[in-house]
Amino acid sequence: MALFELTLVLLLTAVALTALSRQLEIPYPSLLALAGVAIAFVPGAPTIEIDPELALALFIAPVLLDAAYDTSLRDLKRYRLSLALLALGAVVFTTVVVAFVGWKMAGLPIAAAIALGAIVAPPDAVAASAVLSQFKVPHRITAILQGESLLNDATALLIYRLAVSAALGTIMLSNAIPVILLATIGSVIAGYLFGRVSLLTLGRIEDAASSTVVQFAGTFAVWIIADKLGLSAIITIVVYAITIARRAPRRMSARRRVSTYSVWESAVFVLNVLAFVLMGLQARSIVGRLAGDGQGEAFLFAGTVLVVVIVARLVWVGSYVAIIRWLARLGSQEARRDLPTFGGAVLVGWCGMRGLVTLVVAIALPADFPGRDPIVLAAFAVVLGTLVLQGMTLKPLLRWINFDPDRSVDTEVAQARVAIMQAALDVLSRKTSAAAAVVREQYEAQRLIAENPEDAQAATEYDRLRLFAINRQRDTLEELRSNGTIGDEAYHRLEEEIDWAELAASPAGSFQPLTTS
């Protein structure tokens, strides 16, 4: 019961910290990390031991699917070189450097040192996105960071699995290449097949709540089956998510889609909170076991790993950007247009905050794993250090770099809006009723505004006026229910209609309704 009460308190605390992070314009995971450390000093807090396999499935599977669902295949193809150098090159480079430090400084076995390197190698884009979304940074950078955070998890966790198996004696590192090839190819095929089956299932479900439950159950099922088959559960989930993301939206009703997105957003937030709670509780027990002479050495080792992780990423990103720019001098003028800049390299290098994946994978190490305590402590130090040091300095860094505002996505939205409005007008062109004329007039007005994307003021005013009218509609609806003119059933049906209209008028939540007073 004490654990349940503590969890409720921490969830409410996390909500307050999230609101505070918006006020301070810093990533909410940074404040969650500090709260997780504070838990280590709470007297009487319970000790929690979680099964390693359960930890990976419970925390990683839904978070990975959520990230993969929003991944753009177009951007993955467009920035494939940068993504490969980060998701593969940076992960391997960081793993090797950290493994060397672990082997030399802490005396870890080679396999255990590699496992440590794989644990701390993959950055988490959640913290970076929380800040970058507030600024008009180049779309290239945000796309690369989001794609990297998805693909580097697969790379790092594949290395982690092999290293853990080697450390426990179930596989030899010299035999790892066939295992990697089999796991990769098989996981891609399995993920695609699972995605197709999921699409057939979801297409037959109309109830929003049932659809959401099936999605969560399917996600965990895909992870468990892939793991049982000896495949890479990470790669399988990523391919599975991308497969359904390309086709599921057209097969889902608007009500199901809005409901599902809201539930997934809340679930990912709760999983982040619980992971930091586990971090604090585990850190306290580890520090207790390391009491004495070994404690100072463990903290020194953890701090060293933190510094190495930050420096390794900056060195890698800076080096490959310098090489790409140097090679581009030998190419055509067109090839030099979309080159990465050194300002972008600094930002990408500094956006190396570690988060949920590092936390959960560290917690998931078997209890008898060699060097588990110093490894987990080092992983916690890397998560806390990067989130606090890098996360809280992203905003001033962005102001110092001072990127030109990037409106490429806004332009694409405007172009697509013109096309879909014209499609609606075309299909209504043969309708001659009075209702059709009213609908055509509405679409025509929206198309005219969308045809002038440079006139941002007109688009803003259009949406503000719609929200102004919607706000008045809500007031009137409340009055009708209050004076008994309508009952609750009619009230909720009209409320839903107004909600959809408000969502259409403020798709990004950037417009605030005018007051009607």
Side-chain angles (χ1 to χ4, degrees):
M1 187 64 181
L3 176 60
F4 178 69
E5 293 169 352
L6 176 63
T7 303
L8 289 179
V9 171
L10 290 171
L11 286 175
L12 293 176
T13 302
V15 172
L17 291 176
T18 303
L20 179 61
S21 70
R22 293 194 186 99
Q23 294 290 330
L24 300 177
E25 295 184 324
I26 59 177
Y28 81 84
S30 299
L31 295 182
L32 286 181
L34 293 174
V37 172
I39 294 172
F41 300 96
V42 175
T47 300
I48 299 177
E49 296 295 336
I50 186 169
D51 179 71
E53 296 301 323
L54 173 62
L56 289 173
L58 177 62
F59 289 98
I60 302 301
V63 171
L64 263 184
L65 183 133
D66 183 64
Y69 198 89
D70 296 329
T71 298
S72 168
L73 284 178
R74 185 195 67 173
D75 289 339
L76 291 181
K77 295 176 182 177
R78 178 180 296 176
Y79 306 120
R80 56 187 177 274
L81 175 59
S82 295
L83 287 172
L85 289 171
L86 286 172
L88 295 176
V91 167
V92 173
F93 179 69
T94 303
T95 300
V96 170
V97 174
V98 172
F100 179 79
V101 172
W103 175 54
K104 282 292 188 181
M105 185 174 181
L108 296 174
I110 293 296
I114 293 175
L116 169 61
I119 288 171
V120 300
D124 184 0
V126 173
S129 299
V131 174
L132 296 182
S133 61
Q134 302 169 9
F135 297 86
K136 289 289 185 180
V137 301
H139 175 68
R140 172 193 176 95
I141 293 178
T142 56
I144 288 174
L145 287 173
Q146 291 171 354
E148 179 206 3
S149 71
L150 177 67
L151 300 177
N152 63 15
D153 290 341
T155 304
L157 291 178
L158 188 58
I159 297 173
Y160 165 82
R161 287 279 195 181
L162 294 172
V164 170
S165 299
L168 298 177
T170 59
I171 192 175
M172 299 294 293
L173 286 177
S174 58
N175 301 326
I177 294 180
V179 175
I180 293 175
L181 291 177
L182 178 63
T184 302
I185 297 173
S187 299
V188 171
I189 296 173
Y192 177 76
L193 294 177
F194 285 138
R196 300 297 297 183
V197 172
S198 178
L199 287 170
L200 292 175
T201 304
L202 292 174
R204 300 176 181 273
I205 301 175
E206 292 299 328
D207 179 62
S210 299
S211 177
T212 303
V213 171
V214 169
Q215 288 180 49
F216 273 98
T219 300
F220 292 122
V222 168
W223 180 283
I224 293 170
I225 294 172
D227 193 54
K228 296 293 185 183
L229 294 176
L231 303 175
S232 169
I234 302 295
I235 297 176
T236 306
I237 283 288
V238 169
V239 177
Y240 167 77
I242 292 177
T243 301
I244 62 176
R246 302 295 292 182
R247 297 173 175 85
R250 192 65 184 90
R251 303 186 182 191
M252 295 174 65
S253 65
R255 180 180 289 106
R256 286 169 57 196
R257 188 162 48 253
V258 172
S259 173
T260 299
Y261 289 174
S262 299
V263 172
W264 274 96
E265 184 178 3
S266 300
V268 170
F269 174 75
V270 170
L271 289 174
N272 270 282
V273 173
L274 294 180
F276 283 105
V277 170
L278 287 175
M279 179 192 80
L281 296 176
Q282 292 257 330
R284 184 177 62 175
S285 61
I286 289 173
V287 171
R289 288 196 296 268
L290 293 173
D293 296 336
Q295 190 177 83
E297 295 178 0
F299 278 109
L300 177 61
F301 173 63
T304 303
V305 172
L306 169 62
V307 174
V308 168
V309 164
I310 294 175
V311 173
R313 180 175 176 85
L314 289 171
V315 169
W316 179 266
V317 175
S319 299
Y320 90 71
V321 167
I323 292 173
I324 289 177
R325 292 183 64 85
W326 180 76
L327 292 175
R329 296 179 181 178
L330 307 177
S332 62
Q333 182 69 27
E334 183 178 354
R336 293 195 289 268
R337 291 178 182 174
D338 198 27
L339 284 176
T341 63
F342 285 111
V346 172
L347 179 59
V348 171
W350 198 247
C351 286
M353 290 80 75
R354 271 57 175 180
L356 183 61
V357 172
T358 296
L359 280 181
V360 174
V361 174
I363 294 171
L365 280 173
D368 58 346
F369 191 80
R372 183 184 189 278
D373 284 351
I375 288 176
V376 175
L377 185 64
F380 291 165
V382 169
V383 173
L384 177 64
T386 55
L387 283 175
V388 173
L389 177 62
Q390 295 178 307
M392 292 188 172
T393 55
L394 263 183
K395 181 181 175 182
L397 177 63
L398 283 166
R399 287 178 172 170
W400 175 70
I401 296 176
N402 193 24
F403 288 110
D404 292 331
D406 188 333
R407 303 193 180 278
S408 58
V409 175
D410 295 338
T411 301
E412 289 181 1
V413 168
Q415 292 172 346
R417 184 173 286 135
V418 171
I420 62 177
M421 294 303 169
Q422 187 61 52
L425 288 169
D426 292 341
V427 81
L428 291 169
S429 60
R430 297 182 181 180
K431 304 294 183 180
T432 58
S433 65
V438 173
V439 175
R440 278 199 302 270
E441 183 179 350
Q442 293 176 349
Y443 278 116
E444 182 65 33
Q446 294 180 53
R447 185 180 66 84
L448 289 174
I449 292 173
E451 283 179 338
N452 298 286
E454 67 280 355
D455 188 2
Q457 182 60 37
T460 301
E461 182 65 16
Y462 177 77
D463 286 325
R464 285 179 63 84
L465 286 173
R466 292 173 68 190
L467 291 173
F468 175 70
I470 288 169
N471 198 38
R472 181 55 187 159
Q473 285 181 305
R474 289 194 186 279
D475 293 340
T476 302
L477 186 61
E478 291 291 340
E479 293 173 5
L480 291 173
R481 183 172 69 163
S482 298
N483 61 30
T485 303
I486 61 173
D488 279 12
E489 184 175 354
Y491 170 84
H492 288 302
R493 287 182 61 179
L494 290 169
E495 180 187 44
E496 184 179 10
E497 291 180 11
I498 295 174
D499 286 343
W500 287 112
E502 183 173 337
L503 286 173
S506 54
S510 56
F511 300 105
Q512 299 297 325
L514 298 170
T515 59
T516 56
S517 57

